[in-house]
Coordinates of all heavy atoms in Angstrom, one line a residue:
Chain A
P9 N -16.6 23.3 -14.6 CA -16.6 22.0 -15.3 C -17.5 21.9 -16.5 O -18.5 22.7 -16.6 CB -17.2 21.0 -14.2 CG -18.1 21.9 -13.4 CD -17.5 23.3 -13.4
S10 N -17.2 21.0 -17.4 CA -18.1 20.8 -18.5 C -19.1 19.7 -18.0 O -18.7 18.9 -17.2 CB -17.3 20.2 -19.7 OG -16.5 21.2 -20.2
P11 N -20.3 19.7 -18.5 CA -21.3 18.7 -18.0 C -21.1 17.4 -18.8 O -21.9 17.0 -19.5 CB -22.6 19.4 -18.4 CG -22.3 20.3 -19.5 CD -20.9 20.7 -19.4
T12 N -20.0 16.7 -18.5 CA -19.7 15.5 -19.2 C -20.2 14.3 -18.5 O -20.0 13.2 -19.0 CB -18.2 15.3 -19.4 OG1 -17.5 15.4 -18.1 CG2 -17.6 16.4 -20.3
G13 N -20.9 14.5 -17.4 CA -21.4 13.3 -16.8 C -20.7 12.8 -15.5 O -21.3 12.3 -14.6
F14 N -19.5 13.1 -15.4 CA -18.8 12.7 -14.2 C -17.6 13.7 -14.0 O -17.1 14.3 -14.9 CB -18.3 11.3 -14.2 CG -17.2 11.0 -15.2 CD1 -15.9 11.1 -14.8 CD2 -17.5 10.6 -16.5 CE1 -14.9 10.9 -15.7 CE2 -16.5 10.4 -17.4 CZ -15.2 10.5 -17.0
L15 N -17.2 13.8 -12.8 CA -16.1 14.7 -12.4 C -14.8 13.9 -12.5 O -14.5 13.0 -11.8 CB -16.3 15.2 -11.0 CG -16.1 16.7 -10.8 CD1 -16.5 17.5 -11.9 CD2 -16.8 17.1 -9.5
H16 N -13.9 14.4 -13.4 CA -12.6 13.8 -13.6 C -11.7 14.2 -12.4 O -11.7 15.4 -12.0 CB -12.0 14.2 -14.9 CG -10.7 13.5 -15.3 ND1 -9.5 13.9 -14.7 CD2 -10.5 12.5 -16.1 CE1 -8.6 13.0 -15.2 NE2 -9.2 12.2 -16.1
I17 N -11.0 13.3 -11.9 CA -10.2 13.5 -10.6 C -9.1 14.6 -10.8 O -8.8 15.4 -9.9 CB -9.6 12.2 -10.1 CG1 -9.3 12.3 -8.6 CG2 -8.4 11.8 -10.9 CD1 -10.5 12.4 -7.7
G18 N -8.6 14.7 -12.1 CA -7.6 15.7 -12.4 C -8.3 17.1 -12.3 O -7.7 18.0 -11.8
G19 N -9.5 17.2 -12.8 CA -10.2 18.4 -12.8 C -10.6 18.8 -11.3 O -10.5 20.0 -11.0
V20 N -10.9 17.8 -10.6 CA -11.3 18.0 -9.2 C -10.1 18.6 -8.4 O -10.3 19.5 -7.6 CB -11.8 16.7 -8.5 CG1 -11.9 16.9 -7.0 CG2 -13.1 16.2 -9.2
R21 N -8.9 18.1 -8.7 CA -7.7 18.6 -8.1 C -7.7 20.2 -8.3 O -7.4 20.9 -7.4 CB -6.5 17.9 -8.6 CG -5.2 18.1 -7.9 CD -4.6 19.5 -8.0 NE -4.6 20.0 -9.4 CZ -3.6 19.9 -10.2 NH1 -2.5 19.5 -9.8 NH2 -3.7 20.4 -11.4
T22 N -8.0 20.6 -9.5 CA -7.9 22.0 -9.9 C -9.0 22.8 -9.1 O -8.8 23.9 -8.7 CB -8.0 22.2 -11.4 OG1 -7.0 21.4 -12.0 CG2 -7.8 23.7 -11.7
F23 N -10.2 22.1 -9.1 CA -11.3 22.8 -8.3 C -10.9 22.9 -6.9 O -11.2 23.9 -6.2 CB -12.6 21.9 -8.4 CG -13.1 21.9 -9.8 CD1 -14.0 20.9 -10.2 CD2 -12.7 22.8 -10.8 CE1 -14.6 20.9 -11.5 CE2 -13.2 22.8 -12.1 CZ -14.2 21.8 -12.4
L24 N -10.2 21.9 -6.4 CA -9.8 22.0 -5.0 C -8.9 23.2 -4.7 O -9.0 23.9 -3.7 CB -9.1 20.7 -4.6 CG -8.5 20.6 -3.2 CD1 -9.6 20.7 -2.1 CD2 -7.8 19.2 -3.0
F25 N -8.0 23.4 -5.7 CA -7.1 24.6 -5.5 C -7.9 25.8 -5.5 O -7.7 26.7 -4.7 CB -6.1 24.6 -6.7 CG -5.0 23.6 -6.6 CD1 -4.0 23.6 -7.6 CD2 -4.9 22.8 -5.5 CE1 -3.0 22.7 -7.5 CE2 -3.9 21.8 -5.4 CZ -2.9 21.8 -6.4
N26 N -9.0 25.9 -6.3 CA -9.8 27.1 -6.3 C -10.5 27.3 -5.0 O -10.5 28.4 -4.4 CB -10.9 27.0 -7.4 CG -10.5 27.5 -8.7 OD1 -10.6 28.7 -9.0 ND2 -10.1 26.6 -9.6
W27 N -11.0 26.2 -4.5 CA -11.7 26.3 -3.2 C -10.8 26.6 -2.0 O -11.1 27.4 -1.2 CB -12.4 24.9 -3.0 CG -13.2 24.8 -1.7 CD1 -14.4 25.4 -1.4 CD2 -12.9 24.1 -0.6 NE1 -14.8 25.1 -0.2 CE2 -13.9 24.3 0.4 CE3 -11.8 23.2 -0.2 CZ2 -13.9 23.7 1.7 CZ3 -11.8 22.6 1.0 CH2 -12.8 22.8 1.9
L28 N -9.6 26.0 -2.0 CA -8.7 26.2 -1.0 C -8.2 27.7 -1.0 O -8.1 28.3 0.0 CB -7.5 25.3 -1.1 CG -7.7 23.8 -0.8 CD1 -6.5 23.0 -1.1 CD2 -8.1 23.6 0.7
F29 N -8.0 28.1 -2.2 CA -7.6 29.5 -2.4 C -8.6 30.5 -1.9 O -8.4 31.4 -1.1 CB -7.3 29.8 -3.9 CG -6.9 31.2 -4.1 CD1 -5.6 31.7 -3.8 CD2 -7.7 32.1 -4.7 CE1 -5.2 33.0 -4.0 CE2 -7.4 33.4 -4.9 CZ -6.1 33.9 -4.6
A30 N -9.9 30.3 -2.3 CA -11.0 31.1 -1.8 C -11.1 31.1 -0.3 O -11.2 32.1 0.4 CB -12.3 30.7 -2.5
R31 N -11.0 29.9 0.2 CA -11.1 29.8 1.7 C -10.0 30.5 2.4 O -10.2 31.1 3.5 CB -11.2 28.3 2.1 CG -12.5 27.7 2.0 CD -12.7 26.5 2.9 NE -12.4 26.8 4.3 CZ -12.4 25.8 5.2 NH1 -12.7 24.6 5.0 NH2 -12.1 26.2 6.5
S32 N -8.8 30.4 1.8 CA -7.7 31.0 2.5 C -7.8 32.5 2.6 O -7.1 33.2 3.4 CB -6.4 30.6 1.9 OG -6.2 31.2 0.6
Y33 N -8.6 33.1 1.7 CA -8.8 34.5 1.7 C -10.2 34.9 2.2 O -10.6 36.0 2.0 CB -8.6 35.1 0.3 CG -7.2 35.3 -0.1 CD1 -6.5 34.3 -0.8 CD2 -6.5 36.5 0.3 CE1 -5.1 34.5 -1.1 CE2 -5.2 36.6 -0.1 CZ -4.5 35.6 -0.8 OH -3.2 35.8 -1.1
S34 N -10.9 33.9 2.7 CA -12.3 34.1 3.0 C -13.1 34.7 1.9 O -13.9 35.6 2.0 CB -12.4 35.1 4.2 OG -11.7 34.6 5.3
G35 N -12.7 34.3 0.7 CA -13.4 34.8 -0.5 C -14.5 33.9 -1.0 O -14.9 33.0 -0.2
E36 N -15.0 34.1 -2.2 CA -16.1 33.3 -2.7 C -15.6 32.3 -3.8 O -14.7 32.6 -4.5 CB -17.2 34.2 -3.3 CG -18.0 34.9 -2.2 CD -19.1 35.7 -2.9 OE1 -20.2 35.1 -3.2 OE2 -18.8 36.9 -3.1
C37 N -16.3 31.2 -3.9 CA -16.0 30.2 -4.9 C -17.3 29.8 -5.6 O -18.2 29.3 -5.0 CB -15.3 29.0 -4.2 SG -14.9 27.7 -5.4
L38 N -17.4 30.1 -6.9 CA -18.6 29.9 -7.6 C -18.5 28.5 -8.4 O -17.4 28.1 -8.6 CB -18.9 31.0 -8.6 CG -18.9 32.4 -8.1 CD1 -19.3 33.4 -9.2 CD2 -19.8 32.6 -6.9
L39 N -19.6 28.0 -8.7 CA -19.7 26.8 -9.5 C -20.4 27.2 -10.8 O -21.6 27.6 -10.8 CB -20.4 25.6 -8.8 CG -20.6 24.4 -9.7 CD1 -19.2 23.8 -10.1 CD2 -21.4 23.3 -8.9
R40 N -19.7 27.1 -11.9 CA -20.3 27.5 -13.2 C -20.1 26.4 -14.2 O -19.0 26.0 -14.5 CB -19.7 28.8 -13.7 CG -20.4 29.3 -15.0 CD -19.8 30.6 -15.4 NE -18.6 30.5 -16.0 CZ -17.6 31.4 -15.9 NH1 -17.7 32.4 -15.1 NH2 -16.4 31.2 -16.5
I41 N -21.2 25.9 -14.7 CA -21.2 24.8 -15.7 C -21.0 25.4 -17.0 O -21.7 26.3 -17.5 CB -22.6 24.0 -15.7 CG1 -22.9 23.6 -14.2 CG2 -22.5 22.8 -16.6 CD1 -22.0 22.6 -13.6
E42 N -20.0 24.9 -17.7 CA -19.6 25.4 -19.1 C -20.4 24.6 -20.1 O -19.8 23.9 -20.9 CB -18.1 25.3 -19.3 CG -17.3 26.0 -18.3 CD -17.2 27.5 -18.5 OE1 -18.2 28.2 -18.4 OE2 -16.0 28.0 -18.7
N43 N -21.7 24.8 -20.1 CA -22.5 24.1 -21.0 C -22.8 24.9 -22.3 O -23.0 26.1 -22.3 CB -23.9 23.7 -20.4 CG -24.6 25.0 -19.9 OD1 -24.0 26.0 -19.5 ND2 -25.9 24.9 -20.0
T44 N -22.8 24.2 -23.4 CA -23.2 24.9 -24.7 C -24.6 24.5 -25.1 O -25.1 25.1 -26.1 CB -22.2 24.5 -25.8 OG1 -22.0 23.1 -25.7 CG2 -20.9 25.2 -25.7
D45 N -25.2 23.5 -24.4 CA -26.6 23.3 -24.7 C -27.2 22.8 -23.4 O -26.6 22.6 -22.5 CB -26.7 22.3 -25.8 CG -26.2 20.9 -25.4 OD1 -25.0 20.9 -25.0 OD2 -26.8 19.9 -25.5
T46 N -28.5 22.8 -23.5 CA -29.3 22.4 -22.3 C -29.8 21.0 -22.6 O -29.5 20.4 -23.6 CB -30.5 23.3 -22.0 OG1 -31.2 23.4 -23.2 CG2 -30.0 24.7 -21.6

Side-chain angles (χ1 to χ4, degrees):
Chain A
S10 295
T12 53
F14 68 91
L15 223 36
H16 189 279
I17 202 69
V20 171
R21 194 288 314 263
T22 305
F23 294 162
L24 177 60
F25 284 181
N26 272 280
W27 180 72
L28 291 174
F29 178 74
R31 278 203 56 183
S32 72
Y33 280 94
S34 303
E36 285 182 86
C37 181
L38 310 184
L39 176 61
R40 187 174 73 218
I41 309 295
E42 303 280 64
N43 60 323
T44 41
D45 62 309
T46 52

